[in-house]
Amino acid sequence: MKPDLRSAAAWLACETTQVQEQFLNELTEGELLALPFLFEFWAMAHQLPPDGDWTSWVILGGRGAGKTRAGAEWVRSMVEGARPLDPGRARRVALVGETIDQAREVMIFGESGILACSPPDRRPKWHGARRMLEWPNGAIAQVFSAYDPESLRGPQFDAAWVDELAKWPKAAETWDMLQFGLRLGEHPQQVITTTPRNTQVLKDILARESTVSSHAATEVNAANLAASFLTEVRARYAGTRLGRQELDGVLLEDVEGALWSTKALDKAQVDVPGPLSRIVVAVDPPVSTGAKADTCGIVVVGAMTEGPISDWRAVVLEDASVQGLSPAGWARAAIAAMRRWEANRLVAEVNQGGDLVQSVVRQVDPLVPFRAVRARTGKTARAEPVAALYEQGRVRHLRGLGMLEDQMCQMSVTGYQGKGSPDRVDALVWAITELILEPSEKWRCPMVRGL
């Protein structure tokens, strides 16, 4: 019995050579010739259209996750009929890219573009002067540029493929003009393939009830990517906000009135911390315990505290936060971070746990230098002076702090706009406050350490 097409390739790849040969030997010559062009056989889950009566399908993915192939194959599925000359569901398609050149070279002539995906008897012809593809059954696809929204005024379509919308120069205007043109057929549909960026038009599309989405990170398509590429980009960008966007395909949002922005945090990235005078580990303990408990924020920050206080600089070294651990568990994680970085002190907020917080820490290491801190103002009020240090260029980040930076960009002047509690940000604020905003001469170490 042949497997379901949605899982056939994965099933076959996991079987023995004997099973694979048996499967292929049972196919007719025609089936063997058609197999490379049966996308449903090879597709990954995020590349297949979702069920339901949707208008827009947004495919969010990291670089190389197979978005272009999914878009090209969806166009094929819309315009092709059962036989080469039979009509499909769509006869007038819009192909919209950032520029005409990019649309042509990626969406049409690219290695995963429409021409490369089409079998010989169904392959469309490219009419360069008219910027148009024409299929043997008479269906056509016209190419448009996001630099020229007005070119979409007039033509009409029953389907559209939109590529890399998140980086279009005139995204809102081009999108609006396209929507007015999608007016043919019983149910016009469109596919958007893009690496996510924090753009309003993309967020608006995703928020609509008529929109469905699929998502995949770069790694899901590792079999079709150079191993050296994955090794290099992961080594450099894993854990960073840029990596979460470009490799994990995560839509990272900066809220209105945010104390930190993606752009500012990108500029704060460094590869080495440089010499440091003092290092602290700050802890924001969770109120609850168990698998569904809040995260325990644990952040390691170092600082150069030589010379005038106005010259002091801090470097965020590690986000060691943990989730779902017992009090003894997060205490051990915090002390382990201290030992990794040879930190001078552990700082912990005790508003919720009181003396119990220090007691738990002392059970793990009775001699750990410990300071209890208590919040007397709201989270935003505590965070604003720290954000000011970032604006002055006095705080840097080692790479790999993506989850912490996500929370930072959700902290606004009106409070935290993300889900749950900003545990990581709280720990960051306590660490930088301890090192720079409330310096204590008693605890300063005169020896400069180079890490």
Side-chain angles (χ1 to χ4, degrees), residues 51-98:
D51 297 329
D53 190 26
W54 49 267
T55 298
S56 301
W57 171 27
V58 181
I59 307 175
L60 298 175
R63 300 285 187 91
K67 302 184 299 296
T68 301
R69 178 68 184 272
E73 294 286 0
W74 180 80
V75 171
R76 277 192 59 206
S77 73
M78 294 295 288
V79 302
E80 292 180 6
R83 293 172 297 184
L85 299 181
D86 290 346
R89 287 175 290 169
R91 294 188 60 81
R92 297 291 182 269
V93 182
L95 304 177
V96 192
E98 182 181 6

Side-chain angles (χ1 to χ4, degrees), residues 172-233:
E173 300 94 322
T174 306
W175 177 260
D176 288 341
M177 288 297 101
L178 176 61
Q179 302 316 295
F180 286 122
L182 275 171
R183 56 181 184 259
L184 294 180
E186 295 182 1
H187 183 50
Q189 291 180 302
Q190 56 198 339
V191 164
I192 302 96
T193 54
T194 188
T195 300
R197 287 186 182 180
N198 184 34
T199 60
Q200 191 60 49
V201 64
L202 178 58
K203 292 189 289 186
D204 289 344
I205 294 168
L206 289 168
R208 293 194 179 99
E209 292 185 2
S210 59
T211 297
V212 295
S213 65
S214 57
H215 167 267
T218 298
E219 270 90 352
V220 302
N221 199 30
N224 297 310
L225 301 173
S228 59
F229 163 76
L230 290 173
T231 300
E232 288 296 322
V233 295

Side-chain angles (χ1 to χ4, degrees), residues 71-76 79-80 90-96 100 103-110 112-118 122-144 157 161:
E73 294 286 0
W74 180 80
V75 171
R76 277 192 59 206
V79 302
E80 292 180 6
R91 294 188 60 81
R92 297 291 182 269
V93 182
L95 304 177
V96 192
I100 294 293
R104 183 182 62 242
E105 298 304 319
V106 175
M107 302 170 76
I108 297 173
F109 288 96
S112 299
I114 293 171
L115 293 180
C117 296
S118 299
R122 298 164 185 261
R123 186 167 294 136
K125 294 181 179 179
W126 170 245
H127 302 286
R130 300 178 64 187
R131 298 174 180 173
M132 184 182 75
L133 280 175
E134 184 177 12
W135 276 264
N137 64 5
I140 65 169
Q142 296 174 262
V143 174
F144 299 90
F157 318 99
W161 173 19

